[in-house]
Amino acid sequence: MTSLDTQLEIIRRGTVEIVPEPELVAKLERSAKTGTPLRVKLGCDPTRPDLHLGHSVILRKLRQFQDLGHHAILIIGDFTGMIGDPTGANKTRPSLTIEQVRKNGESYFQQASKILDSDPAKLTIVHNSTWLGPMGFEDLIRLASKFTVARMIERDDFTKRYNSNEPISLHEFLYPLAQGQDSVHLKSDVELGGSDQKFNLLVGRDLQRADGQEPQVALMMPLLVGTDGVNKMSKSYDNYVGLDEAPNDMYGKVLKVNDDQIYSWFELLTDVSNEELAAIKTRAVSDPRNTKHDLALTLTRMYHGEEAAAAARAHFVKIIVNKEVPDEIPEFTLQADSDHRLLAVMVASGAAPSISEARRLVQQGAVSIDGVKVADVATELGKGATVVLKAGKRTFLKLLSV
């Protein structure tokens, strides 16, 4: 059995806030004495089918509780996902159908399994439509009576929208209540969430108390800053590193992290010891370049294994440092009647997602043909030729013009 001090050291690492920590200590002590694992809850509304390293921060904390002998409960919010979490929103968010959320949920769990221990003895997966769906209007009224509008409007994002005369739909008030009802139904001991979820987690405590249960402890984790060094990691900001990224792409994307985020990425995303972290904090300042490579290697190894990580590093050295062409690159055949203008070819071949992005890459000097940089956005490719197109740092294509 892991000592209480060791458990607390592991649980506190990277944590923003534990509310209230003395209650967590008491729960851990009781768990050790009775041999009954804590029920640790994490709810997710899979609004998108893919996960990134930002999601891994809280999933890793849930895994740490598993490794300490506690039971993880992963809630797929197929019901709450239809409401739409208003957290951080400055306007009403569009809701999803239950079919969309469930489909995304399948992908979510498959990727989350890269981090969590999926042994049924250590992990329970549930859908909150199981208990929220059957609730009738009378049940909803009874639940809503346990909270006041004044208390609800204390929530930061609701306050901002109210003061700015932005609309707040009544159904958005139901989201924190629905999430809190999850805690009541599951009798959770601990609930994990991002730092932006504090209000929702505390609602769970209030509803459990009103139900006569011992309230859960709310544990908040920070929101991971993305590779742009400014915003939280999100596909919307294109500053993310996906859990399913190919090894070469994962390695290259991690290298984009800002120097001042290297330490926090090591702390939140890896298992390096606290002693190693202290050395990394110093080295990230004195030698950020090599420390960043160590981070990229560590993360790629975690999700793809030692061999793939080593190959990704070698690929980076070959392509980026030595500026060589990869041994194997995809081919794209340009038919005779196709648009041979470079920007159109880049979009058609997948080298760029749009004409505007293709133009931007050319204007930035990031596009070359057979090793020669292209300066003119109006460039056309000759017919009957075979050339190697490079777009950005890692995209290579062999273009076959017929």
Side-chain angles (χ1 to χ4, degrees), residues 67-281:
D67 292 342
L68 292 172
H70 303 294
H71 192 82
I73 304 174
L74 183 64
I75 303 174
I76 304 297
D78 55 345
F79 193 92
T80 43
M82 292 190 298
I83 302 174
D85 185 0
T87 300
N90 55 15
K91 61 182 178 179
T92 300
R93 288 185 173 176
S95 57
L96 302 176
T97 66
I98 196 166
E99 291 77 15
Q100 287 174 308
V101 179
R102 285 181 175 172
K103 184 176 180 180
N104 290 348
E106 293 175 7
S107 175
Y108 189 107
F109 174 66
Q110 182 236 345
Q111 293 170 77
S113 296
K114 296 173 179 283
I115 298 170
L116 299 178
D117 186 336
S118 55
D119 182 346
K122 298 180 180 180
L123 175 66
T124 297
I125 302 166
V126 291
H127 293 77
N128 62 10
S129 62
T130 305
W131 55 88
L132 294 178
M135 290 178 66
F137 199 66
E138 181 181 349
D139 300 315
L140 181 60
I141 292 174
R142 189 176 296 111
L143 177 61
S145 71
K146 297 176 181 179
F147 232 71
T148 67
V149 172
R151 177 82 169 86
M152 195 67 73
I153 210 70
E154 290 175 5
R155 181 174 170 148
D156 185 55
D157 28 42
F158 286 153
T159 300
K160 289 178 180 176
R161 287 163 63 185
Y162 182 79
N163 291 336
S164 301
N165 292 318
E166 293 283 349
I168 304 173
S169 297
L170 285 176
H171 79 281
E172 294 182 85
F173 282 175
L174 299 180
Y175 188 94
L177 295 177
Q179 183 173 330
Q181 188 63 21
D182 291 348
S183 297
V184 172
H185 179 83
L186 295 167
K187 297 179 171 62
S188 59
D189 294 302
V190 179
E191 181 173 9
L192 308 183
S195 56
D196 59 343
Q197 287 284 321
K198 182 176 181 177
F199 183 90
N200 291 356
L201 273 57
L202 295 183
V203 170
R205 281 177 57 84
D206 291 341
L207 294 183
Q208 283 181 308
R209 192 181 290 110
D211 194 65
Q213 296 182 25
E214 179 181 285
Q216 65 187 14
V217 169
L219 186 152
M220 279 73 74
M221 296 299 294
L223 304 179
L224 186 72
V225 176
T227 54
D228 60 0
V230 178
N231 301 295
K232 72 174 184 179
M233 183 172 287
S234 169
K235 289 201 74 172
S236 301
Y237 296 123
D238 194 25
N239 64 355
Y240 70 99
V241 181
L243 296 189
D244 272 351
E245 298 269 13
N248 291 348
D249 293 334
M250 178 174 283
Y251 192 98
K253 280 191 172 185
V254 173
L255 292 178
K256 295 179 180 179
V257 64
N258 275 23
D259 293 354
D260 60 359
Q261 294 298 321
I262 296 174
Y263 173 79
S264 65
W265 277 42
F266 262 112
E267 180 186 34
L268 296 171
L269 303 177
T270 77
D271 294 320
V272 300
S273 67
N274 289 337
E275 291 74 19
E276 290 177 276
L277 275 178
I280 287 169
K281 194 168 191 175

Side-chain angles (χ1 to χ4, degrees), residues 328-343:
E328 296 182 8
I329 58 176
E331 296 182 355
F332 180 78
T333 300
L334 192 59
Q335 301 297 331
D337 58 350
S338 300
D339 191 338
H340 280 56
R341 288 176 296 179
L342 175 61
L343 300 187

Side-chain angles (χ1 to χ4, degrees), residues 262-334:
I262 296 174
Y263 173 79
S264 65
W265 277 42
F266 262 112
E267 180 186 34
L268 296 171
L269 303 177
T270 77
D271 294 320
V272 300
S273 67
N274 289 337
E275 291 74 19
E276 290 177 276
L277 275 178
I280 287 169
K281 194 168 191 175
T282 300
R283 187 165 178 251
V285 176
S286 62
D287 186 10
R289 180 180 179 279
N290 286 318
T291 310
K292 204 177 295 186
H293 275 280
D294 289 345
L295 175 63
L297 184 67
T298 300
L299 289 171
T300 307
R301 182 193 300 124
M302 286 172 58
Y303 292 99
H304 295 287
E306 186 72 51
E307 185 176 342
R313 171 169 277 189
H315 176 83
F316 178 87
V317 171
K318 178 176 183 177
I319 306 306
I320 307 301
V321 179
N322 297 336
K323 302 186 184 303
E324 298 178 31
V325 176
D327 296 327
E328 296 182 8
I329 58 176
E331 296 182 355
F332 180 78
T333 300
L334 192 59

Side-chain angles (χ1 to χ4, degrees), residues 381-396:
L381 301 178
K383 296 181 179 181
T386 298
V387 298
V388 173
L389 171 72
K390 180 184 179 185
K393 291 183 177 180
R394 294 185 297 277
T395 300
F396 287 85

